[in-house]
């Protein structure tokens, strides 16, 4: 499924990168990230910093990462999807998937 199709009716604030990426799965935990996944950063990691967390998701194969409105968009080769509310985004994107 294309990222742009997956994002229909989701509370998006901003997209940085291509919305034409193919998404093969969704993950909310790093251990679940695979190639071509949309990773949804929930902001509750105690062992990694925000930057380490996002970079690790990209290393594991995430091609798109959903972040909160206040989270920083890093200079890495993924599409960032900034949302007003991560929990509402999660609900909408799982319906679409």
């Amino acid at each position: 499924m294309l990222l742009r199709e997956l994002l229909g009716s989701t509370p998006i604030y901003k997209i940085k990168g291509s919305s034409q990426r193919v998404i093969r799965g969704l993950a909310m935990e790093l251990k679940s990230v695979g190639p071509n996944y949309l990773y949804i950063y929930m902001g509750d990691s105690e062992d990694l910093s925000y930057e380490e967390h996002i970079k690790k998701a990209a290393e594991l194969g995430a091609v798109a990462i959903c972040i909160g409105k206040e989270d920083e968009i890093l200079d890495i080769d993924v599409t960032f999807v900034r949302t007003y509310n991560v929990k509402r985004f999660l609900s909408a994107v799982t319906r679409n998937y």
Side-chain angles (χ1 to χ4, degrees):
M1 171 176 272
L2 290 178
L3 178 61
R4 69 178 166 78
E5 296 167 346
L6 192 59
L7 297 179
S9 300
T10 60
I12 298 172
Y13 178 71
K14 179 180 183 178
I15 297 175
K16 181 179 183 276
S18 175
S19 63
Q20 298 297 317
R21 293 184 185 257
V22 175
I23 302 298
R24 303 249 185 255
L26 307 173
M28 294 178 298
E29 297 179 341
L30 283 175
K31 65 183 178 183
S32 301
V33 175
N36 298 314
Y37 269 48
L38 167 62
Y39 176 65
I40 302 165
Y41 176 70
M42 300 298 286
D44 54 5
S45 175
E46 296 178 12
D47 54 336
L48 296 174
S49 70
Y50 167 76
E51 187 171 328
E52 291 169 329
H53 207 97
I54 299 303
K55 287 181 178 179
K56 183 68 173 174
E59 288 172 15
L60 292 170
V63 294
I65 300 176
C66 174
I67 59 175
K69 184 178 173 186
E70 304 300 322
D71 293 322
E72 178 185 0
I73 293 177
L74 304 178
D75 188 24
I76 57 176
D77 187 28
V78 299
T79 297
F80 279 92
V81 179
R82 185 175 273 166
T83 182
Y84 292 102
N85 185 304
V86 175
K87 290 181 181 178
R88 287 185 182 166
F89 176 87
L90 176 60
S91 175
V93 82
T94 53
R95 269 193 319 269
N96 293 345
Y97 191 74

